[in-house]
Amino acid sequence: ADGAATEKKSERLGGWNIDLTPWGSLTFRADVRNTPGDVMVWRAGLNLGVSGPLGDRTRLVLNLENEASWYDFHNAAGLVPGTDSPLTDVYRMTLRPGLAWQQSDTLSWVGGAIVEFAGERDAGLGDSATYGGYIWARYQLTPTMALTAGFGAKTRLEEDGLIVPLLGLEWDVSDKVKVTVRGLEARVAAKLNPALTFTLSGAWELREFRLADDNPLPGGVARDSRVPIAAGLEWRVCDHVMLALRGGAVVWQEFRFDDRDGNEVGKQRTDPAPFLMLSAQFTF
């Protein structure tokens, strides 16, 4: 989805395009069910998107996402035996190289690979790696509506591979309102004025991290799946800079811990919790 957005923007501007997006988020403390403990999550990241022409109808699409997460578990016994803080600092890097091909004025194709490394600092690089790919088609149904369809597939840490249908919608409801669905995220954007946009969004997120050998669950896997719902404001400072502030709630979240053989050790959900996210986008 991010690759599609970068490719579309580059196509409008012409030539090569670079997007650099630093961001940070805080999910406030949420009680872990069936245990007296709670958890708070800080995240920070830096995303890079590059797109440029390789021919009359073909473009390079490259996205690199770097993310660090800090989990502050407190008295969360029951997830992993012998500890009430099973996860602290973890890191994730995702590379998505791809190609976009404009078959006609209304039909285009995008496909590429996924390489991801996710785990604690001392986890083995090879043990933290997963791989996959994606392909989808975009059809301009009307001047104000485009549809996308395809699928993505990816290996997982000590788990069966994941195949996700990639169904999308871009609908300019009016000059000021746009509805976008990209994969596992839906978004409504309404322009308040030429510089300020109000947004509503919802998504399903899955993160999986390889644990280090000195973790209480040596060589195991921590899985964090969640559904955030948010409202936000985007401020177009100038042609090349945009600031965004989002806030809302993680309405569903589940932590699962598996041993190095993929056997479930502990699984708990949390109560809903508020979150805030701040980002900046620089376009060159």
Side-chain angles (χ1 to χ4, degrees):
D2 293 337
T6 303
E7 186 271 335
K8 282 186 61 192
K9 183 181 295 184
S10 179
E11 185 174 292
R12 290 197 302 269
L13 297 176
W16 287 88
N17 185 70
I18 299 175
D19 284 343
L20 189 64
T21 306
W23 60 272
S25 71
L26 169 63
T27 302
F28 293 86
R29 289 206 173 272
D31 290 335
V32 180
R33 297 180 183 179
N34 302 316
T35 178
D38 53 43
V39 60
M40 181 171 64
V41 184
W42 293 85
R43 285 196 172 94
L46 181 64
N47 301 340
L48 172 67
V50 178
S51 177
L54 296 179
D56 292 339
R57 292 181 173 270
T58 306
R59 304 185 69 83
L60 170 70
V61 180
L62 177 65
N63 285 272
L64 176 63
E65 300 172 4
N66 292 283
E67 175 185 289
S69 299
W70 297 273
Y71 289 85
D72 184 11
F73 282 94
H74 180 253
N75 291 332
L79 283 168
V80 174
T83 181
D84 61 359
S85 181
L87 188 65
T88 53
D89 303 347
V90 288
Y91 305 89
R92 182 172 70 160
M93 182 182 73
T94 306
L95 177 65
R96 295 187 181 93
L99 293 175
W101 177 49
Q102 189 74 38
Q103 180 176 338
S104 66
D105 291 340
T106 58
L107 181 62
S108 59
W109 297 82
V110 177
I114 304 170
V115 180
E116 182 173 283
F117 303 93
E120 292 185 306
R121 182 187 300 273
D122 295 330
L125 192 63
D127 293 335
S128 304
T130 53
Y131 309 93
Y134 60 92
I135 185 169
W136 50 263
R138 178 180 183 273
Y139 183 72
Q140 192 73 42
L141 188 64
T142 70
T144 60
M145 182 180 293
L147 303 176
T148 61
F151 70 93
K154 185 173 172 290
T155 62
R156 298 178 64 186
L157 299 175
E158 309 303 339
E159 184 64 276
D160 293 337
L162 182 67
I163 299 178
V164 178
L166 301 179
L167 303 177
L169 169 69
E170 299 167 52
W171 179 25
D172 295 326
V173 181
S174 68
D175 292 341
K176 295 185 176 181
V177 179
K178 182 171 183 175
V179 176
T180 306
V181 179
R182 291 194 181 108
L184 303 176
E185 180 178 13
R187 183 175 184 268
V188 178
K191 281 188 173 295
L192 304 179
N193 58 50
L196 198 62
T197 300
F198 173 76
T199 65
L200 289 172
S201 62
W204 179 73
E205 301 174 354
L206 172 65
R207 292 173 172 86
E208 299 180 323
F209 305 103
R210 176 68 69 182
L211 303 178
D213 288 340
D214 59 357
N215 186 279
L217 188 63
V221 179
R223 310 184 198 275
D224 174 2
S225 52
R226 55 169 50 190
V227 177
I229 304 294
L233 289 174
E234 296 177 349
W235 176 31
R236 176 63 66 179
V237 181
C238 62
D239 288 343
H240 302 289
V241 180
M242 184 176 70
L243 302 178
L245 176 65
R246 297 170 57 212
V250 178
V251 297
W252 183 90
Q253 180 170 250
E254 182 179 83
F255 291 100
R256 173 182 158 187
F257 290 83
D258 296 349
D259 64 20
R260 65 171 70 244
D261 296 319
N263 301 310
E264 182 181 308
V265 173
K267 182 170 69 174
Q268 295 288 355
R269 293 183 183 179
T270 69
D271 290 338
F275 79 92
L276 290 173
M277 181 175 181
L278 178 64
S279 65
Q281 184 182 58
F282 304 93
T283 303
F284 307 96

